[in-house]
Amino acid sequence: MLALGFGALVCALIEGPACGWTDTRVLTLSAAAAVALLTFVAVELRTTDPMLDLHFFRDPVLSGAAVTAFMISFGMFGASFFLPLLLQDVMGWSQSSAGLAGLPMTAVIVIAAPLSGAFTARCGPRIPLVTGLTLCAAALGGLSLYGEHARHLECLWVLLAMGTGMGMAFTPVSVVVMKRVPLAQAGMASATLNMLREIGGVVGVAALGAVLTSRLAATLTGSLDRLDVPPEIRHGIEDSVAGTGADRTQVLPAPVHDAVNTAVIEGLHLALRCGGAAMAAAAVLVAVLLRPASSQATAPVGKPTQQDEPAYP
């Protein structure tokens, strides 16, 4: 039911911008997603041997770690998906140049992750998790400031902030989950964490992609109207930009080419800002959930057995 629910949700997000959010198929997929996810929650709460013990989320610290895992993937998978579009299709970089641009981010992740783990062991997870989310939110917002004529050195700080934020958040999430649950349920907790990361990435690409597509289509339609582009030509342009199978290699007049680039940039910028705003909200939520009183709570998590170790204080 969980796979069916999220599968229907992602399909609805993908089809919404193309078909319209009131289209019968989109509404049906949305309803199916809601029913499937609610059914999964109801079943898991009632069964004696749940696949996913939802009692974990009674602990605010575990909830904060879960929110972080989901939102880091939500924002960063979306950014990783959009960044090549910006670098190659708008800025005109080659595939090799766009790939090399991501090396600073990867290098910083490698450095930040172990440092964050050591800091978490000494001072707790609240500061690295909140800082990581905040840096990622700032990076997405910063990336939306650059357009067609940006250069690599100008946006280098964005890649460094993004890598630092991801590196700071990855390790504390795992540490919190492994130390906060009873030993007998560590496997379930680890699987839940990985599931949230994967789902966050898929939903992030679909949701932010829907924002991008909707804004791109609206901006491009207005621009083509102002340019008085004939209907038989504009349909081919819109299909080409949307990637629906039209010829993407056609040579466009300079004004139309500029209009397409402007529409793509506006769509990317709005998607990145939405992702940044969502991650900033998540940072505030995690800061509240992991406030000192919650981090020191010793309430049992899950359904303890005789073999369980006490929850990590």
Side-chain angles (χ1 to χ4, degrees):
M1 295 303 290
L2 187 63
L4 175 63
F6 278 109
L9 175 61
V10 170
C11 286
L13 291 172
I14 292 173
E15 294 296 328
C19 302
W21 295 106
T22 58
D23 183 81
T24 303
R25 287 172 294 177
V26 176
L27 294 177
T28 301
L29 287 168
S30 301
V35 171
L37 292 174
L38 290 173
T39 302
F40 174 80
V41 170
V43 170
E44 293 301 295
L45 288 174
R46 295 175 63 87
T47 184
T48 57
D49 186 21
M51 180 178 71
L52 171 60
D53 190 350
L54 297 175
H55 294 89
F56 285 153
F57 301 108
R58 294 184 303 181
D59 182 354
V61 178
L62 284 177
S63 295
V67 169
T68 302
F70 182 90
M71 289 306 302
I72 285 290
S73 292
F74 178 94
M76 294 303 102
F77 274 62
S80 299
F81 181 80
F82 297 142
L83 191 57
L85 298 178
L86 180 64
L87 296 179
Q88 296 179 52
D89 293 349
V90 176
M91 297 183 185
W93 294 17
S94 67
Q95 291 88 340
S96 298
S97 298
L100 290 172
L103 285 180
M105 180 174 65
T106 304
V108 173
I109 292 175
V110 173
I111 296 171
L115 293 178
S116 177
F119 185 87
T120 300
R122 292 176 59 87
C123 303
R126 187 173 190 253
I127 293 177
L129 289 182
V130 174
T131 303
L133 285 167
T134 302
L135 284 173
C136 289
L140 291 184
L143 190 59
S144 72
L145 300 176
Y146 298 100
E148 184 175 0
H149 302 293
R151 296 294 177 262
H152 184 218
L153 290 179
E154 294 179 67
C155 52
L156 180 61
W157 74 270
V158 173
L159 300 175
L160 295 178
M162 197 177 297
T164 303
M166 286 191 284
M168 291 190 70
F170 282 155
T171 304
V173 166
S174 300
V175 171
V176 166
V177 172
M178 291 296 98
K179 288 190 174 182
R180 195 78 182 183
V181 301
L183 181 60
Q185 295 176 313
M188 181 188 296
S190 177
T192 301
L193 176 65
N194 288 328
M195 178 195 70
L196 287 171
R197 284 173 172 157
E198 297 299 328
I199 291 176
V202 173
V203 174
V205 172
L208 299 183
V211 173
L212 184 155
T213 305
S214 298
R215 181 58 176 268
L216 186 155
T219 303
L220 184 59
T221 298
S223 297
L224 296 180
D225 286 340
R226 288 191 296 272
L227 293 171
D228 292 325
V229 177
E232 62 274 12
I233 298 178
R234 68 184 299 161
H235 290 321
I237 295 171
E238 292 169 347
D239 290 343
S240 177
V241 173
T244 57
D247 182 13
R248 297 176 63 87
T249 63
Q250 61 179 314
V251 178
L252 301 176
V256 176
H257 183 272
D258 292 341
V260 170
N261 272 358
T262 299
V264 172
I265 291 172
E266 289 197 15
L268 282 169
H269 284 179
L270 181 60
L272 290 169
R273 288 166 186 164
C274 288
M279 298 194 74
V284 174
L285 177 59
V286 171
V288 173
L289 290 172
L290 271 69
R291 60 191 184 276
S294 299
S295 299
Q296 297 174 5
T298 57
V301 180
K303 298 179 180 179
T305 64
Q306 292 181 350
Q307 290 78 25
D308 290 341
E309 293 183 354
Y312 177 69

